[in-house]
Amino acid sequence: MEAQRVSKFLSLVLRHKPDTLGITLNEQGWTDVDILLATLNQRGYRITREQLAYLVETNNKKRFAFSQDERQIRANQGHSVEVDLGYIEKQPPQFLYHGTATRFLELIRAEGLKKMNRHHVHLSADEQTAFTVGSRHGKPIILTIKAGEMAATGYIFYQSENGVWLTDAVPATYIIVENR
């Protein structure tokens, strides 16, 4: 089992295209582990329950979670398919960060951050994580988000199980662009 390859495929299936494997996600994004493993193995992804558990435990982004009885699995956030992950509103810190590529900066300055094809805009509690995320899309830039100010004016924030901060949108007025 090549862990990175399986992790990327699981992200695709559990966040965006469950039909790729012919599985279904329930309203909260869960799917049956036994069915997932059987289907993965039929498609050439040779993975055992123990290997799947190791992948969930050691994924540096904590993308996946098991249900309490470990019979079901889901992605923690980032879905483009309709699911209700049961997030609870949470007060954010004064500042959060968003990593993106410099080529998107002009549009962001004009329109702010939008969730696009996902359920939420993803924000990080630290600059290093934002930098890593931004690096995946080209020359990175870190945007500082005035999250405390946003929350004070009525914007709602959530925090996923893996620590990612989520909100519906970030207007340009709450974004600080610094040249680093």
Side-chain angles (χ1 to χ4, degrees):
M1 170 190 78
E2 183 189 332
Q4 185 177 17
R5 184 175 141 243
V6 173
S7 179
K8 285 185 178 200
F9 188 66
L10 279 178
S11 287
L12 173 74
V13 169
L14 297 177
R15 294 166 66 185
H16 308 294
K17 296 183 177 184
D19 55 316
T20 301
L21 278 182
I23 63 169
T24 57
L25 306 179
N26 71 14
E27 291 177 1
Q28 293 80 37
W30 297 106
T31 194
D32 184 273
V33 171
D34 291 333
I35 292 171
L36 176 69
L37 287 171
T39 309
L40 282 169
N41 280 292
Q42 288 171 356
R43 298 285 175 96
Y45 289 88
R46 303 285 177 226
I47 182 170
T48 65
R49 181 177 281 275
E50 292 74 24
Q51 290 170 321
L52 181 63
Y54 180 78
L55 192 136
V56 170
E57 277 179 39
T58 61
N59 183 275
N60 63 341
K61 295 180 182 175
K62 302 294 180 202
R63 290 183 190 249
F64 315 108
F66 283 117
S67 59
Q68 286 189 341
D69 64 5
E70 296 191 1
R71 293 172 140 179
Q72 297 189 356
I73 188 171
R74 73 176 179 187
N76 283 322
Q77 92 280 322
H79 296 79
S80 59
V81 295
E82 193 60 41
V83 294
D84 177 4
L85 298 175
Y87 293 135
I88 298 170
E89 186 176 338
K90 188 170 180 183
Q91 179 65 34
Q94 192 63 30
F95 297 103
L96 290 169
Y97 305 93
H98 182 81
T100 191
T102 55
R103 70 178 183 274
F104 300 129
L105 193 53
E106 187 176 322
L107 184 62
I108 292 169
R109 280 187 165 140
E111 299 181 10
L113 293 171
K114 298 179 178 182
K115 58 187 172 181
M116 307 305 276
N117 65 343
R118 294 188 177 185
H119 291 199
H120 298 97
V121 172
H122 293 198
L123 304 170
S124 305
D126 64 275
E127 294 179 60
Q128 183 56 51
T129 301
F131 181 83
T132 301
V133 170
S135 297
R136 294 188 319 216
H137 306 288
K139 183 179 177 192
I141 187 163
I142 300 169
L143 308 175
T144 301
I145 309 303
K146 297 185 260 184
E149 205 175 302
M150 282 181 65
T153 59
Y155 288 88
I156 297 172
F157 287 83
Y158 307 97
Q159 191 175 28
S160 68
E161 289 181 39
N162 62 353
V164 174
W165 284 90
L166 308 165
T167 193
D168 284 336
V170 179
T173 56
Y174 295 104
I175 299 172
I176 301 169
V177 180
E178 298 175 25
N179 292 331
R180 300 171 193 260

